[in-house]
Amino acid sequence: MPAPIRLRELIRTIRTARTQAEEREMIQKECAAIRSSFREEDNTYRCRNVAKLLYMHMLGYPAHFGQLECLKLIASQKFTDKRIGYLGAMLLLDERQDVHLLMTNCIKNDLNHSTQYVQGLALCTLGCMGSSEMCRDLAGEVEKLLKTSNSYLRKKAALCAVHVIRKVPELMEMFLPATKNLLNEKNHGSVLHTSVVLLTEMCERSPDMLAHFRKVSLVPQLVRILKNLIMSGYSPEHDVSGISDPFLQVRILRLLRILGRNDDDSSEAMNDILAQVATNTETSKNVGNAILYETVLTIMDIKSESGLRVLAINILGRFLLNNDKNIRYVALTSLLKTVQTDHNAVQRHRSTIVDCLKDLDVSIKRRAMELSFALVNGNNVRGMMKELLYFLDSCEPEFKADCASGIFLAAEKYAPSKRWHIDTIMRVLTTAGSYVRDDAVPNLIQLITNSVEMHAYTVQRLYKAILGDYSQQPLVQVASWCIGEYGDLLVSGQCEEEEPIQVTEDEVLDILESVLISNMSASVTRGYALTAIMKLSTRFTCTVNRIKKVVSIYGSSIDVELQQRAVEYNALFKKYDHMRPALLERMPVMEKVTTNGPAEIVQTNGETETAVLETKPPPSGLQPANQANDLLDLLGGSDITPVIPTAPTSKPASAGGELLDLLGDLSLTGSPVSAPAPQIAQPPFLLDGLTTQPLFNDIAAGIPSITAYNKNGLKIDFTFERSNTNPSVTVITIQASNSTELDMTDFVFQAAVPKTFQLQLLSPSSSVIPAFNSGTITQVIKVLNPQKQQLRMRIKLTYNHKGSAMQDLAEVNNFPPQSWQ
């Protein structure tokens, strides 16, 4: 049989192929020749054939038929055969295939070989693809090589030990004695680096190992090594851009961060060296920036001195001025993590952060926007809002929704005056009205209603804002509502805040009628406009007949919602005209109590719910009963109660009932006057206790919180409160946080309880859990436990993360006794 072609010739031949089909034909022809050679047990050219097979594997062609040939090469006595055999094993084999167990004995023999290079090949292969069974069998040989005096073998043995610990953590103690002398190695280019990697792995995986290394004074050793690296002169072997062994410096800083976390003594021992690294490292090259970034992370993670933390934040501030976009992004992300603990230090770099809002890179722009909102306080709110409003005006559409929400929250929290607050929100609605959240309109209406002295000013500003421009629907909705409520103030020209305008009743009605007929007006906006026109019938005196005509016209509208409103308003004019002034009188001041917990007011997606269990549906509509009870099979038995949706009782069909509802004469604790249609039965606690006494009692302060779920970066905590109005009701607030580097989207939390309990889920605060623990989702669960039994619950979590749909089930049985007794 002729000798097969060499690997170099095969590569040259394949590169001459002009098409994919021609290359595939060459590969198939060569694979057939290699198979024939393998069947004939040709030992002479086995090494050459396996090498060519590995090249084909790198090109993406199947090469699994060469696995056993790799094992034969490993068993060979020739070093060249072993080298190709081990390389093939690392590329073609993994622990999912039983074939790899056949090489365990060969690796064991080679670990005890007299030639260090053969031992190195065996260590590399075991460290690359060794399974847990192989690691258990060969850990003893690895531990022996870790104690050898040969630095070449110690380096490879340390990396192999890292793999063994990852596969079989219980073998960690076996390597503990060998770690004592690892850091005394003079050759920091090889053994020191791998030794620090091994120590880091041990500290991360075992709290006992971490405590041990703190006791044996590992920190002073690392400080000494790091100091020598900083102070040493030029070393061509380890120098990178003028910095001595930056890879080792980064590894040591990471290990110091683990050792100093939550430990005062270790943190104090490393404060000086961290200050030296931060001040002496050259920043002109990217290598120095990498070391400085690791230094900043270490300073922020340990219990460092305040001056050192200020130094770290100043380094991040310098990063913001760097031309490299990656460095600016890293700086913004790090500042966002530290802004809560070192707010004043970050404030010094506010102008630089605001300048990043003008960056062309969208990821930098988003991080700068998030950090800018985190920096807003009562002292700088005017200046920061001015910059953020300018950003809102010029940013891309994907930023407008988040930016508008952030401005609303900041204005509500830090507004210096009600006029400034109203002006700011109106500016947002004018600039990005189509992007604001659903709750922006009711929140602004509530703010305007409560600002009694600003009514004339506000209605005049809103009237001017919508003249001829109906594109921003939320702005038009708020303007329509205000004109309907305070149209008499607009016509009378009583505004003292700015120069009043002269407006007639007909001009006001012209605007509202234009909104009704505009093609840009949504159905909801038309409803606002029609209701405003109806309200003006009690505020205007000369145009009542015109208002009647407009209302009657829309009694035959093809929009069912608009038609229903018009018919009801016509009925008021014809049958209940004596009640019209009382029904359409000005809205009273709306009371709103903002709290940090679920008491009084619960902020949800697009609505504000009172914490007493109202039967008001969320804007998205009522879910069907079978969908609400999707979790019936979670507990695996028949003793499960369905999740009770917050469904409203059906409205009485009679017009009289509608009027009673409008007047607010329906008793909240009683039944409606007319019999409701059959609906899902509500549990007693849904309507109990709607009184003026405090909703939650002081027992809540003594109920400890629990962590119900902590996996894959997602953490869910439960906090508890007890109801004063009904002691059998436990209110659980869940807080979901995300410690990974990417946001978790489309998050849905579901729960099921045994049949002896009754459970209700309110809407979550969001469906996106921000990354890096930079925010949380909150959701309220209300549980009725009349029999005071021990609480247990099964939860179902679904979300999207890193492009994949995730789903998990968990059981929560560790509820504190105070939550259910």
Side-chain angles (χ1 to χ4, degrees):
M1 183 177 177
I5 62 174
R6 296 177 180 273
L7 174 61
R8 187 176 299 175
E9 294 174 6
L10 175 66
I11 294 173
R12 189 181 297 116
T13 303
I14 290 176
R15 285 179 176 174
T16 60
R18 296 181 179 180
T19 64
Q20 189 72 30
E22 189 177 343
E23 177 186 298
R24 197 158 44 241
E25 183 181 355
M26 292 178 182
I27 294 291
Q28 290 173 350
K29 183 178 179 181
E30 187 60 33
C31 283
I34 292 174
R35 282 194 180 93
S36 299
S37 178
F38 286 164
R39 283 196 296 269
E40 294 176 5
E41 294 291 331
D42 184 2
N43 296 328
T44 307
Y45 298 109
R46 179 179 286 126
C47 180
R48 179 184 298 179
N49 287 330
V50 171
K52 291 188 290 185
L53 205 57
L54 294 180
Y55 176 70
M56 297 176 196
H57 172 74
M58 293 166 62
L59 292 178
Y61 294 96
H64 56 278
F65 59 88
Q67 291 173 347
L68 290 176
E69 302 304 316
C70 293
L71 299 183
K72 293 176 183 178
L73 288 177
I74 290 173
S76 172
Q77 296 301 315
K78 296 173 62 177
F79 175 75
T80 52
D81 287 355
K82 282 184 178 294
R83 184 175 60 181
I84 295 297
Y86 277 123
L87 178 60
M90 286 186 275
L91 289 175
L92 302 181
L93 292 175
D94 58 49
E95 60 181 278
R96 292 173 295 180
Q97 298 158 340
D98 294 336
V99 180
H100 81 281
L101 296 174
L102 299 175
M103 60 191 291
T104 304
N105 195 52
C106 291
I107 292 180
K108 184 172 184 179
N109 293 334
D110 287 342
L111 288 175
N112 296 310
H113 201 276
S114 58
T115 306
Q116 65 173 4
Y117 300 109
V118 174
Q119 291 175 294
L121 288 175
L123 286 169
C124 283
T125 305
L126 179 60
C128 177
M129 47 77 64
S131 63
S132 55
E133 293 86 355
M134 291 177 66
C135 290
R136 283 192 180 92
D137 294 338
L138 302 175
E141 277 70 21
V142 176
E143 191 264 344
K144 290 177 186 175
L145 292 175
L146 199 55
K147 295 179 179 177
T148 186
S149 59
N150 188 328
S151 61
Y152 174 82
L153 291 178
R154 290 176 73 188
K155 171 182 66 175
K156 293 183 177 294
L159 290 178
C160 187
V162 171
H163 180 78
V164 172
I165 290 172
R166 288 173 180 169
K167 288 293 180 183
V168 193
E170 57 265 27
L171 295 178
M172 195 181 304
E173 291 186 8
M174 176 186 293
F175 300 104
L176 186 58
T179 60
K180 292 181 180 178
N181 299 320
L182 284 177
L183 295 182
N184 296 326
E185 177 67 36
K186 301 297 182 184
N187 185 358
H188 67 81
S190 56
V191 180
L192 265 183
H193 190 279
T194 54
S195 302
V196 173
V197 173
L198 175 59
L199 293 171
T200 303
E201 189 70 25
M202 295 172 77
C203 290
E204 283 180 335
R205 291 188 173 268
S206 171
D208 295 335
M209 287 291 172
L210 181 59
H212 169 77
F213 287 126
R214 283 171 176 167
K215 286 181 182 177
V216 298
S217 302
L218 180 60
V219 173
Q221 282 184 279
L222 294 171
V223 168
R224 175 178 51 81
I225 296 170
L226 191 55
K227 189 172 184 179
N228 291 337
L229 286 173
I230 297 172
M231 299 303 177
S232 63
Y234 174 73
S235 173
E237 185 179 356
H238 307 114
D239 184 88
V240 179
S241 298
I243 294 178
S244 178
D245 207 341
F247 301 101
L248 179 57
Q249 289 192 47
V250 166
R251 284 290 181 183
I252 292 175
L253 288 167
R254 288 180 183 174
L255 182 52
L256 287 175
R257 182 158 75 245
I258 296 171
L259 292 167
R261 189 179 296 146
N262 300 323
D263 187 81
D264 293 326
D265 295 335
S266 299
S267 299
E268 186 176 353
M270 63 182 77
N271 274 333
D272 291 342
I273 190 64
L274 291 175
Q276 280 185 276
V277 175
T279 53
N280 294 337
T281 303
E282 178 62 42
T283 60
S284 59
K285 299 291 178 63
N286 206 36
V287 177
N289 290 327
I291 294 175
L292 284 176
Y293 178 61
E294 288 295 333
T295 305
V296 168
L297 293 182
T298 302
I299 291 172
M300 291 303 176
D301 218 14
I302 67 172
K303 295 189 174 182
S304 53
E305 300 170 349
S306 59
L308 199 57
R309 298 179 73 86
V310 172
L311 176 61
I313 291 174
N314 289 341
I315 291 173
L316 295 175
R318 292 205 305 271
F319 281 0
L320 292 177
L321 301 173
N322 199 295
N323 292 327
D324 192 313
K325 294 181 179 179
N326 295 317
I327 294 176
R328 293 205 300 277
Y329 180 82
V330 162
L332 289 168
T333 304
S334 302
L335 288 171
L336 190 59
K337 293 178 184 177
T338 60
V339 68
Q340 300 301 328
T341 54
D342 297 274
H343 192 271
N344 291 333
V346 180
Q347 280 284 359
R348 298 191 185 101
H349 305 280
R350 188 172 69 233
S351 59
T352 312
I353 294 166
V354 170
D355 286 341
C356 291
L357 291 171
K358 304 169 186 174
D359 201 286
L360 298 178
D361 189 284
V362 292
S363 56
I364 292 177
K365 200 179 293 187
R366 181 169 293 279
R367 280 284 180 261
M369 180 184 72
E370 294 168 355
L371 185 54
S372 296
F373 282 122
L375 290 176
V376 176
N377 58 29
N379 297 325
N380 62 25
V381 63
R382 290 182 183 272
M384 290 296 291
M385 286 299 106
K386 183 178 179 181
E387 295 288 347
L388 287 166
L389 285 168
Y390 176 77
F391 171 73
L392 178 66
D393 194 26
S394 58
C395 68
E396 293 84 351
E398 60 263 28
F399 289 103
K400 289 186 182 293
D402 292 335
C403 186
S405 298
I407 292 175
F408 284 159
L409 293 173
E412 182 177 3
K413 191 173 183 180
Y414 301 111
S417 66
K418 288 187 176 180
R419 173 173 176 173
W420 181 91
H421 192 180
I422 293 172
D423 286 345
T424 300
I425 295 183
M426 285 176 56
R427 170 80 183 276
V428 173
L429 292 178
T430 306
T431 305
S434 302
Y435 298 93
V436 299
R437 287 180 1 187
D438 293 340
D439 60 350
V441 172
N443 285 347
L444 179 54
I445 288 174
Q446 183 183 43
L447 172 65
I448 293 170
T449 304
N450 294 351
S451 307
V452 178
E453 69 281 2
M454 303 296 298
H455 287 169
Y457 167 76
T458 305
V459 71
Q460 182 169 311
R461 285 288 309 275
L462 286 167
Y463 177 81
K464 291 179 180 177
I466 66 168
L467 280 174
D469 181 14
Y470 310 125
S471 58
Q472 306 293 351
Q473 291 295 288
L475 179 67
V476 178
Q477 291 169 15
V478 175
S480 299
W481 189 92
C482 286
I483 291 172
E485 283 290 312
Y486 314 118
D488 51 338
L489 300 179
L490 177 63
V491 172
S492 64
Q494 296 178 2
C495 181
E496 298 178 358
E497 303 291 330
E498 62 179 27
E499 183 179 350
I501 57 175
Q502 298 300 321
V503 183
T504 65
E505 294 181 4
D506 286 317
E507 287 174 338
V508 175
L509 291 176
D510 287 342
I511 285 288
L512 293 176
E513 287 188 50
S514 299
V515 172
L516 280 171
I517 64 176
S518 172
N519 292 328
M520 290 186 289
S521 296
S523 176
V524 176
T525 308
R526 290 191 175 99
Y528 273 95
L530 187 62
T531 303
I533 290 174
M534 184 63 187
K535 288 180 181 179
L536 291 177
S537 68
T538 62
R539 290 147 176 77
F540 290 173
T541 55
C542 305
T543 54
V544 176
N545 290 331
R546 179 180 174 182
I547 292 173
K548 288 182 180 180
K549 184 178 179 181
V550 172
V551 170
S552 63
I553 290 173
Y554 284 92
S556 57
S557 171
I558 60 172
D559 187 329
V560 178
E561 173 69 22
L562 210 58
Q563 183 188 107
Q564 181 180 350
R565 288 174 185 262
V567 169
E568 291 169 354
Y569 296 156
N570 269 322
L572 280 180
F573 275 124
K574 294 178 181 178
K575 298 181 181 180
Y576 307 98
D577 199 52
H578 63 286
M579 301 173 63
R580 183 165 51 85
L583 287 173
L584 302 177
E585 66 182 4
R586 191 165 293 174
M587 290 287 290
V589 174
M590 304 178 190
E591 294 184 2
K592 178 180 179 181
V593 181
T594 304
T595 63
N596 293 326
E600 317 288 342
I601 292 291
V602 178
Q603 292 290 343
T604 62
N605 285 338
E607 64 178 352
T608 302
E609 293 184 333
T610 55
V612 273
L613 301 178
E614 291 183 342
T615 56
K616 176 182 176 181
S620 57
L622 178 65
Q623 295 182 342
N626 60 340
Q627 184 179 352
N629 299 329
D630 279 342
L631 296 179
L632 283 179
D633 59 341
L634 279 182
L635 290 172
S638 60
D639 61 334
I640 305 161
T641 184
V643 178
I644 299 170
T646 55
T649 57
S650 61
K651 293 182 181 179
S654 66
E658 289 286 339
L659 289 175
L660 284 174
D661 198 9
L662 283 172
L663 286 170
D665 286 342
L666 291 176
S667 172
L668 288 175
T669 57
S671 303
V673 175
S674 57
Q679 290 286 331
I680 300 171
Q682 298 292 338
F685 76 100
L686 285 179
L687 296 177
D688 281 350
L690 296 182
T691 62
T692 57
Q693 60 178 312
L695 182 62
F696 302 115
N697 60 25
D698 295 332
I699 300 175
I703 304 180
S705 59
I706 63 170
T707 298
Y709 183 88
N710 193 353
K711 191 186 296 184
N712 300 327
L714 174 61
K715 182 180 179 183
I716 295 180
D717 294 324
F718 283 6
T719 57
F720 306 88
E721 298 197 52
R722 298 289 292 276
S723 172
N724 258 339
T725 58
N726 189 345
S728 298
V729 175
T730 300
V731 180
I732 305 172
T733 302
I734 75 164
Q735 287 191 326
S737 59
N738 169 20
S739 61
T740 66
E741 68 275 12
L742 293 176
D743 292 351
M744 295 178 179
T745 59
D746 300 327
F747 175 79
V748 177
F749 175 94
Q750 294 174 290
V753 292
K755 199 171 183 179
T756 54
F757 302 83
Q758 291 177 336
L759 178 144
Q760 183 184 33
L761 284 171
L762 298 184
S763 302
S765 61
S766 176
S767 62
V768 178
I769 313 179
F772 298 114
N773 291 322
S774 58
T776 60
I777 284 180
T778 59
Q779 188 169 2
V780 176
I781 310 173
K782 294 164 184 179
V783 181
L784 176 66
N785 183 9
Q787 301 179 19
K788 301 293 184 181
Q789 294 185 351
Q790 181 174 355
L791 184 59
R792 59 194 182 98
M793 182 185 295
R794 276 212 174 173
I795 60 177
K796 181 179 180 181
L797 309 168
T798 56
Y799 57 93
N800 290 326
H801 191 225
K802 297 182 179 177
S804 302
M806 309 291 288
Q807 179 173 308
D808 199 7
L809 297 175
E811 188 163 349
V812 186
N813 292 322
N814 59 332
F815 287 92
Q818 303 95 313
S819 66
W820 50 270
Q821 287 179 349

